[in-house]
Amino acid sequence: MKRLVKRRLPARLGMLLMLALLVQPSLADEVTQRASDLLQRMADALRSLNYEGTLVYSYDNRLEALHLVHRFEEGQVQERLLSLNGPVRTVTRERDRVMCELPDGHPISVKRPPGAGGLLNTDGIAPEQLVDHYGIEIQGRARVAGRDTEVVGIIPRDDLRYGYRFYVDRETSLPLKSDLIDRNGVSLEQLMFTAITVDAGAPAVPSPSLVAGVRSAPAARVEGRWRFDEPPPGFQLVSQGVMDHPSGAAVEHFLFTDRLSAYSVYIEADTRDGLTGSTHIGAVHAAGRQVDGYQITAVGEVPSATVEAAVLGARLDEKPPE
């Protein structure tokens, strides 16, 4: 009898391993689908609900208190952000412009660049497109601002990108807290509501988002004289164009994304006062160098290694454009 049990045991273990391999993908698919549903509801809520509240922004051992008013009117999002500590600053975001009022009362108005999102930049995230470079996890529940939330994590698999941890309100689907995280789940920046009021009226139909368009845009072929050898793994060029510099010079702009994180490469002929090496403000890193009389600068909310690789891979094609 003992010999019979010993003979059957390896066979049973083999069967269990086969079953585990068969079940595991379905569980992963279930988590991805649940996370996708949460993120989609969150994106729709951010764009369609009217809400206002007080939140705190934590970065570089600094803490800033803000008051946010978010309105959705006639198919367009309007936001007004007021700093509650330090110098008085107000930022208003409308359809295609961002207006900033500085402490001296002098207003500044600038055109919003393509892909610019609101304060909580969560739109266009599709978990099924991220699995090669991010892990998707449902991380339980927590209370934020006195409300119950579900926690979803998008965790980078390497050191070339950042991820997010979202605390999604179970009642309204608004993200009440957002953490920018590294591959170990350590928070680099935190944005959290301490109090929030949501308009109880019926939500409007959400409008298309520029951020969603960038994250879902197809890969583009580089046109012109510049080439980018071996971009950081997972990042693809999705758009390029020419911008006007305040000095009047033309600046070529190339946008790369891995469908969650993104960085921009700017190339201009004027090399005076150009960045050489790398620098950062919070989680936003920049790197620069000069090539054949051109200044190349890469900027994005990505680790320094990513923007450094981006500028090192840029080169001027010797062949004339066709």
Side-chain angles (χ1 to χ4, degrees):
M1 183 67 180
K2 290 182 179 179
R3 288 182 179 178
L4 184 60
V5 170
K6 287 180 180 180
R7 288 175 182 174
R8 287 182 175 177
L9 188 58
R12 289 182 178 179
L13 283 175
M15 183 65 71
L16 288 173
L17 287 172
M18 288 179 64
L19 288 173
L21 290 173
L22 290 172
V23 171
Q24 221 171 1
S26 64
L27 291 176
D29 291 344
E30 182 181 343
V31 169
T32 300
Q33 184 58 53
R34 186 179 168 198
S36 181
D37 292 343
L38 270 174
L39 292 169
Q40 184 58 58
R41 295 202 309 269
M42 179 176 67
D44 290 344
L46 277 170
R47 286 185 281 132
S48 62
L49 294 180
N50 294 329
Y51 54 92
E52 68 176 287
T54 301
L55 36 75
V56 292
Y57 176 42
S58 173
Y59 64 101
D60 281 351
N61 294 320
R62 299 174 61 183
L63 195 65
E64 187 167 353
L66 307 163
H67 184 77
L68 173 67
V69 178
H70 177 103
R71 293 288 180 266
F72 187 90
E73 297 178 359
E74 299 180 354
Q76 299 297 329
V77 171
Q78 297 180 346
E79 283 184 345
R80 186 172 185 271
L81 189 64
L82 173 66
S83 175
L84 299 179
N85 62 316
V88 176
R89 289 168 295 167
T90 303
V91 177
T92 303
R93 180 174 74 97
E94 294 185 352
R95 179 176 181 178
D96 60 352
R97 303 201 70 80
V98 175
M99 290 162 284
C100 180
E101 184 175 338
L102 301 178
D104 60 4
H106 181 68
I108 297 176
S109 176
V110 296
K111 187 175 181 180
R112 294 178 65 210
L119 182 64
L120 292 164
N121 182 1
T122 65
D123 214 353
I125 299 175
E128 63 276 8
Q129 296 181 357
L130 305 177
V131 292
D132 288 342
H133 300 285
Y134 297 88
I136 312 296
E137 295 181 0
I138 301 295
Q139 298 181 332
R141 298 178 178 178
R143 281 180 62 78
V144 178
R147 304 172 71 98
D148 293 327
T149 69
E150 291 190 78
V151 186
V152 55
I154 305 176
I155 304 167
R157 300 187 187 278
D158 57 33
D159 294 322
L160 294 173
R161 63 207 87 232
Y162 294 137
Y164 293 91
R165 185 183 298 116
F166 297 115
Y167 296 71
V168 185
D169 185 14
R170 298 187 67 195
E171 180 181 351
T172 66
S173 295
L174 288 171
L176 302 183
K177 183 181 177 185
S178 171
D179 296 349
L180 185 73
I181 61 175
D182 63 16
R183 68 179 303 182
N184 298 313
V186 176
S187 294
L188 307 172
E189 294 181 352
Q190 293 184 333
L191 191 64
M192 180 178 70
F193 280 98
T194 58
I196 187 171
T197 302
V198 182
D199 191 336
V205 177
S207 63
S209 165
L210 289 172
V211 178
V214 168
R215 285 176 171 157
S216 61
R221 185 174 66 89
V222 179
E223 298 179 355
R225 300 177 299 167
W226 289 96
R227 298 291 178 266
F228 300 92
D229 296 332
E230 298 183 4
F235 287 90
Q236 294 179 309
L237 177 73
V238 293
S239 73
Q240 68 180 91
V242 179
M243 304 171 58
D244 293 328
H245 192 274
S247 65
V251 180
E252 293 187 71
H253 174 232
F254 303 85
L255 178 62
F256 293 79
T257 180
D258 67 356
R259 308 305 172 187
L260 181 67
S261 302
Y263 66 84
S264 290
V265 177
Y266 300 94
I267 301 178
E268 55 185 314
D270 188 355
T271 60
R272 293 172 298 177
D273 302 322
L275 173 65
T276 300
S278 60
T279 186
H280 76 100
I281 300 176
V284 177
H285 287 83
R289 73 183 184 111
Q290 295 178 7
V291 176
D292 296 330
Y294 289 86
Q295 173 66 37
I296 302 174
T297 307
V299 182
E301 195 172 52
V302 292
S304 59
T306 306
V307 288
E308 289 168 5
V311 297
L312 285 175
R315 63 178 175 83
L316 189 61
D317 196 339
E318 296 179 357
K319 294 184 297 183
E322 298 180 358

